[in-house]
């Protein structure tokens, strides 16, 4: 057996043991696997590489935590609840508009934070009662929330797997907006419509109105939503007038938007909100640090090169099948991990096709890992949010849509060069 | 100016993560806190 393959198997085995038998968090398990790889390859502990790897994804870490703080703030002020109420009260009688608005609303936190769990636990939790009262059964509501959340995670402006893949091939995270929008919005809307279609108009008008009464305290709506507007404007300015407005970076934009929420709605304590956000984001921050170390050791030991060389040699059309199967399955451990360990070699194997479009398609498929057991972050949290005790009922409903999304991702990759003419500026 | 602001943001996340570390009772989860603290501390120490 080639030494690189042996090291890779050993690293994966230690990782799986730590996750499944040791019940360690995924981030910590990745560190154990990295240390094992380093020791087995004769480099000793290689502390320098572990530390260097740990800092690789500091920027995405800061984006995720500041975005999470912002989401917590607008949840505390009541802006999220009010947005949900406005959608339900004004649109519930028009199914297509209602479901479109609900889908985009669920996706929003995922789009901003790059985390599917942020969508499920914030907007997903807020709209779940509305969808149930509207007539959609619990398990289907959970499926809608889970699928919209994981597609929200891929949607622009923040797509962490794309940043991870980009980091692996020295490709800046620029120009992904339109490709990611095409990769996520059509399947998100289609999946919601297909899941909700049999239940159009089942809920009673009165029940919906009773479930969504006005906020207990009335605030000026413009003030309540001002932080979101500030966020959107600051994000847009650096793209609209890049010469006059240098980008401040996403973390600072989130902090400014979060500070502007002071006294915009219901009172909240900034420190408590920050503590809650850190607690929620910590597992993902840990995964990013762990992935950084894992990758650094993979590069040090030659395992990364071994993987790339072998994946590049896969015959052309088999590679699409490999992408469809391996990316979501590996994503069961971590869709971020799948993006790097497999996403980067797949991207390199598909050189010649537009890299931005290919990476968009790959991240779409990798994100499906968030529905795969045993971790199934999006699915399990969605089951909790709707009060469905058996997560597998949600998975069973989602399977055709997961396959549909994976096929869509492959079609995007196949048509990358053609799509690039319209989508990559 | 921008660097100072990012230093402040990183320090805030560092303090919040540190506080969360001490309020966490599960030692396995505390390990996650510790590995997250490494890049945050390094970032603050290495900022020029």
């Amino acid at each position: 057996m080639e030494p690189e393959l042996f090291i890779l198997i050993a690293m994966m085995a230690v990782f799986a043991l730590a996750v499944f038998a040791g019940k360690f968090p995924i981030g910590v398990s990745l560190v154990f696997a990295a240390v094992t790889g380093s020791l087995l390859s004769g480099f000793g502990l290689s502390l320098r590489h572990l530390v260097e790897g740990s800092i690789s994804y500091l920027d995405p870490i800061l984006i995720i935590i500041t975005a999470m703080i912002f989401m917590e703030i607008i949840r505390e002020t009541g802006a999220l609840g009010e947005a949900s109420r406005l959608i339900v009260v004004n649109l519930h009688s028009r199914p297509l508009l209602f479901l479109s608005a609900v889908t985009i609303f669920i996706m929003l936190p995922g789009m901003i934070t790059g985390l599917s769990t942020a969508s499920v636990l914030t907007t997903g939790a807020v709209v779940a009662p509305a969808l149930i009262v509207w007539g959609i059964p619990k398990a289907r509501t959970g499926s809608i929330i889970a699928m919209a959340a994981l597609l929200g995670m891929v949607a622009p402006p923040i797509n962490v797997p794309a940043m991870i893949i980009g980091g692996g091939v020295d490709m800046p995270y620029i120009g992904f907006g339109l490709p990611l929008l095409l990769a996520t919005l059509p399947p998100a809307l289609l999946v919601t419509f297909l899941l909700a279609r049999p239940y159009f108009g089942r809920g009673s008008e009165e029940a919906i109105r009773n479930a969504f009464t006005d906020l207990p305290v009335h605030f000026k709506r413009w003030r309540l939503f001002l932080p979101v507007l500030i966020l959107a404007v600051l994000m847009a300015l650096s793209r609209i007038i890049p010469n006059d407005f240098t980008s401040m970076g996403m973390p600072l934009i989130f902090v400014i938007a979060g500070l502007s929420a002071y006294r915009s709605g219901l009172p909240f304590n900034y420190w408590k909100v920050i503590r809650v956000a850190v607690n929620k984001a910590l597992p993902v921050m840990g995964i990013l640090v762990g992935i950084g170390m894992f990758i650094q050791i993979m590069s040090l030991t030659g395992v990364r090169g071994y993987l790339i060389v072998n994946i590049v040699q896969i015959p052309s059309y088999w590679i699409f099948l490999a992408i469809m199967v391996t990316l979501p399955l590996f994503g069961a451990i971590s869709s971020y991990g799948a993006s790097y360990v497999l996403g980067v070699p797949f991207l390199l194997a598909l050189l010649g096709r537009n890299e931005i479009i290919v990476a968009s398609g790959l991240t779409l498929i990798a994100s499906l890992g968030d529905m795969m057991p045993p971790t199934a972050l999006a699915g399990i949290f969605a089951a909790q949010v709707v009060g469905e005790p058996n997560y597998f009922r949600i998975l069973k409903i989602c399977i055709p849509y997961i396959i549909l999304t994976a096929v869509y991702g492959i079609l995007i990759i196949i048509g990358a060069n053609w799509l690039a003419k319209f989508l990559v500026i | 100016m921008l660097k100072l602001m990012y230093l402040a943001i990183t320090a805030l996340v560092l303090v919040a993560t540190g506080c969360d570390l001490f309020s966490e009772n599960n030692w396995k989860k505390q390990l996650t806190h510790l590995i997250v603290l490494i890049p945050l501390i390094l970032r603050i120490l290495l900022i020029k």
Side-chain angles (χ1 to χ4, degrees):
Chain A
M1 188 189 289
E2 287 149 288
E4 291 87 0
L5 181 61
F6 172 70
I7 294 166
L8 176 65
I9 291 171
M11 287 171 82
M12 298 306 289
V14 168
F15 174 68
L17 270 175
V19 171
F20 299 120
K23 305 282 178 208
F24 281 96
I26 294 173
V28 177
S29 305
L30 282 164
V31 178
F32 290 158
V35 171
T36 306
S38 176
L39 289 174
L40 282 179
S41 53
F43 287 100
L45 193 58
S46 59
L47 204 60
R48 179 223 141 186
H49 285 281
L50 291 173
V51 170
E52 196 173 313
S54 76
I55 213 163
S56 308
Y57 293 104
L58 185 64
D59 287 341
I61 287 173
L62 285 181
I63 290 173
I64 286 172
I65 183 60
T66 49
M68 204 63 166
I69 292 170
F70 176 75
M71 285 313 304
E72 280 299 315
I73 287 173
I74 60 168
R75 195 174 65 84
E76 289 284 320
T77 60
L80 275 189
E82 177 63 1
S84 166
R85 194 187 70 81
L86 287 173
I87 290 170
V88 175
V89 170
N90 294 316
L91 299 177
H92 72 273
S93 54
R94 282 173 279 185
L96 287 182
L97 269 178
F98 172 68
L99 291 172
S100 303
V102 162
T103 307
I104 293 168
F105 185 62
I106 296 172
M107 289 170 76
L108 208 64
M111 294 162 83
I112 292 172
T113 61
L115 298 173
S116 59
T117 45
S119 274
V120 176
L121 296 174
T122 53
T123 46
V126 170
V127 296
L131 290 173
I132 293 169
V133 172
W134 201 69
I136 303 172
K138 276 183 186 177
R140 285 221 163 212
T141 300
S143 308
I144 289 172
I145 292 171
M147 289 300 292
L150 69 86
L151 289 165
M153 168 183 132
V154 182
I158 305 295
N159 177 330
V160 180
M163 291 178 187
I164 291 174
I165 292 179
V169 293
D170 291 331
M171 175 172 66
Y173 184 68
I174 296 168
F176 277 85
L178 285 176
L180 288 176
L181 210 55
L182 176 86
T184 52
L185 206 53
L189 295 175
L190 186 69
V191 167
T192 305
F193 290 142
L194 292 175
L195 281 167
R197 180 81 186 86
Y199 306 96
F200 278 10
R202 290 267 180 100
S204 81
E205 175 89 10
E206 203 183 334
I208 292 169
R209 290 215 173 263
N210 287 342
F212 286 85
T213 51
D214 278 356
L215 278 171
V217 184
H218 285 278
F219 299 101
K220 284 175 182 154
R221 240 176 236 142
W222 70 266
R223 183 68 187 91
L224 196 60
F225 294 122
L226 185 65
V228 182
L229 184 71
I230 289 175
L231 179 76
V233 169
L234 289 178
M235 275 182 181
L237 274 180
S238 62
R239 288 166 201 202
I240 298 168
I241 44 169
N243 293 332
D244 300 321
F245 189 86
T246 310
S247 174
M248 294 186 280
M250 293 301 293
L252 188 55
I253 290 175
F254 281 120
V255 169
I256 292 169
L259 288 173
S260 73
Y262 181 65
R263 300 188 78 156
S264 65
L266 296 168
F268 65 94
N269 180 318
Y270 269 109
W271 179 240
K272 279 184 185 164
V273 166
I274 290 169
R275 289 287 305 274
V276 171
V278 165
N279 191 273
K280 281 186 181 171
L282 208 75
V284 179
M285 288 155 68
I287 289 174
L288 285 172
V289 174
I291 288 176
M293 291 185 184
F294 191 87
I295 288 160
Q296 185 79 15
I297 298 299
M298 276 177 80
S299 306
L300 174 74
T301 55
V303 171
R304 185 180 161 198
Y306 173 83
L307 258 183
I308 292 170
V309 166
N310 280 284
I311 289 180
V312 167
Q313 288 172 355
I314 297 175
S316 85
Y317 277 90
W318 282 103
I319 201 163
F320 296 119
L321 188 65
I323 290 171
M324 264 183 79
V325 176
T326 57
L327 267 182
L329 286 183
F330 194 100
I333 297 165
S334 159
S335 52
Y336 294 168
S339 299
Y340 192 87
V341 176
L342 297 172
V344 172
F346 280 136
L347 182 73
L348 292 171
L350 292 165
L351 279 180
R353 292 181 159 85
N354 184 283
E355 292 83 4
I356 292 175
I357 307 278
V358 171
S360 303
L362 288 174
T363 57
L364 176 66
I365 299 169
S367 72
L368 297 171
D370 272 13
M371 285 298 288
M372 298 293 159
T375 45
L377 288 174
I380 287 173
F381 282 123
Q384 283 175 15
V385 159
V386 296
E388 170 59 57
N390 186 2
Y391 151 71
F392 285 95
R393 284 194 64 200
I394 287 179
L395 178 64
K396 199 176 154 192
I397 293 169
C398 287
I399 282 175
Y401 305 103
I402 289 172
I403 296 170
L404 187 78
T405 309
V407 171
Y408 183 65
I410 293 294
L411 289 177
I412 287 175
I413 294 170
I414 291 173
N417 285 344
W418 181 75
L419 286 171
K421 290 178 197 165
F422 308 100
L423 301 175
V424 179
I425 301 159
Chain B
M1 186 69 180
L2 213 54
K3 269 184 189 170
L4 265 179
M5 286 182 178
Y6 272 93
L7 183 66
I9 293 171
T10 314
L12 182 70
V13 178
L14 175 71
V15 173
T17 310
C19 291
D20 206 55
L21 166 72
F22 291 111
S23 59
E24 177 64 64
N25 295 320
N26 185 332
W27 69 272
K28 288 178 182 174
K29 285 186 182 166
Q30 281 178 326
L31 285 176
T32 308
H33 291 74
L34 289 174
I35 61 168
V36 170
L37 286 174
I38 299 170
L40 295 173
I41 292 169
L42 280 176
R43 178 75 181 125
I44 289 172
L45 289 178
L46 298 178
I47 207 160
K48 286 175 188 166

